[in-house]
Amino acid sequence: MSRLQELQERRAHECRLTPDRALRTLDEAEAFLRDRGLLTRTADSALPSLYEACHEDPYAPGRGGFGEWPATKWPWFGELADRDGLHSLKVHRGKSVLVTSETAALLDPICRAEIERMSEAPEWALVLDHLAAAGPSELDDLKTELGLKPKELKAILFPLELCGVVVRRNGALERWDQVFPAAPRDPGGLEELIVASVRAAVVAPEREVGRWFSWRRLFSPELVDRLVAAGQLERPEPGWLAAT
């Protein structure tokens, strides 16, 4: 058996890709998330997926969208996000992803740098400054207090959530540095995040790794080359990546 085949078999087990490994309870789903460090909602890449691991028939087969979500287990994503130490973010290119506090610590320096960058734009600073002063805010409160129409606020919030600068939690919007007021002691950053994410997937096509997260401008093939040279990632075969 080749090294790639070995990793793919391990991936099928650890990412629960076979029906015999289907998640049966919400507690099992939480343990799965804590083991992997992050879970996408639906299967859209090599990253482990909560709904894929449920192996449940869809709510409305063939209708697409929400209809393809698990018939009874679709609320699990939101229920997990309400548990201690687990968070729902939009940094998976605008799609929801669940992360543990440990993974959030890797994201922290990126999101803090994005706060600084995005605060320089007046339209983003309008929301960021308000949240800094007022704390967690409901959408309706933001619309009223900032004098914005729903479409205007939505257009401002989308890139802020995309880059991890604003987080939705318990029905309210908060700045990243309000959800995580203390910076972690370990450095974190994009390289550490990529290594952790490849580890979560077990093995992944190299071509998709740079598209996992919203900060594509920060990613380059040279970054992967550095991680391979440092022994943090390996190429079991050309075009594939695994964590060492």
Side-chain angles (χ1 to χ4, degrees):
M1 180 184 297
S2 71
R3 171 66 173 156
L4 179 59
Q5 289 173 322
E6 175 192 340
L7 288 165
Q8 288 172 329
E9 285 194 7
R10 204 180 102 204
R11 167 177 162 75
H13 178 82
E14 294 186 10
C15 293
R16 295 178 172 266
L17 300 182
T18 56
D20 61 296
R21 294 276 291 153
L23 296 168
R24 296 169 297 176
T25 67
L26 187 60
D27 286 343
E28 277 192 359
E30 179 181 351
F32 178 46
L33 172 54
R34 293 190 185 279
D35 175 63
R36 296 291 87 196
L38 78 166
L39 295 177
T40 63
R41 189 193 297 270
T42 58
D44 59 19
S45 65
L47 292 173
S49 157
L50 174 64
Y51 288 172
E52 185 176 34
C54 288
H55 294 277
E56 186 177 59
D57 290 338
Y59 174 75
R63 295 190 182 180
F66 299 153
E68 299 302 318
W69 289 7
T72 66
K73 297 174 182 175
W74 64 266
W76 283 9
F77 194 93
E79 290 170 359
L80 287 173
D82 289 336
R83 294 196 168 190
D84 290 342
L86 303 178
H87 314 275
S88 176
L89 307 173
K90 292 290 186 69
V91 298
H92 180 48
R93 305 188 322 273
K95 299 179 183 179
S96 296
V97 60
L98 290 167
V99 303
T100 61
S101 291
E102 291 76 13
T103 301
L106 303 179
L107 290 160
D108 190 83
I110 307 171
C111 296
R112 289 181 190 275
E114 290 291 79
I115 290 175
E116 296 298 320
R117 179 182 72 86
M118 300 183 86
S119 293
E120 296 178 1
E123 67 274 20
W124 292 332
L126 179 69
V127 170
L128 292 174
D129 290 348
H130 179 84
L131 292 176
S137 301
E138 303 286 341
L139 274 174
D140 287 343
D141 292 338
L142 279 176
K143 285 184 289 188
T144 300
E145 294 171 19
L146 298 178
L148 295 171
K149 296 177 181 179
K151 286 186 177 180
E152 293 174 330
L153 181 58
K154 183 178 180 180
I156 293 172
L157 287 176
F158 178 76
L160 292 173
E161 292 186 86
L162 183 78
C163 295
V165 170
V166 168
V167 178
R168 294 184 191 239
R169 189 171 65 151
N170 300 323
L173 296 161
E174 301 180 60
R175 288 169 48 126
W176 176 273
D177 52 7
Q178 291 170 326
V179 179
F180 306 99
R185 286 178 291 181
D186 294 331
L190 187 60
E191 293 191 2
E192 293 299 323
L193 176 64
I194 293 298
V195 171
S197 300
V198 171
R199 184 174 292 111
V202 181
V203 64
E206 184 169 350
R207 67 179 181 276
E208 76 171 43
V209 171
R211 302 193 297 268
W212 280 346
F213 301 105
S214 304
W215 311 285
R216 293 185 66 176
R217 73 184 193 284
L218 303 178
F219 182 87
S220 69
E222 290 75 23
L223 181 151
V224 173
D225 290 339
R226 288 198 303 272
L227 293 172
V228 171
Q232 293 178 275
L233 294 179
E234 65 167 304
R235 290 186 174 101
E237 286 186 14
W240 292 89
L241 288 174
T244 55

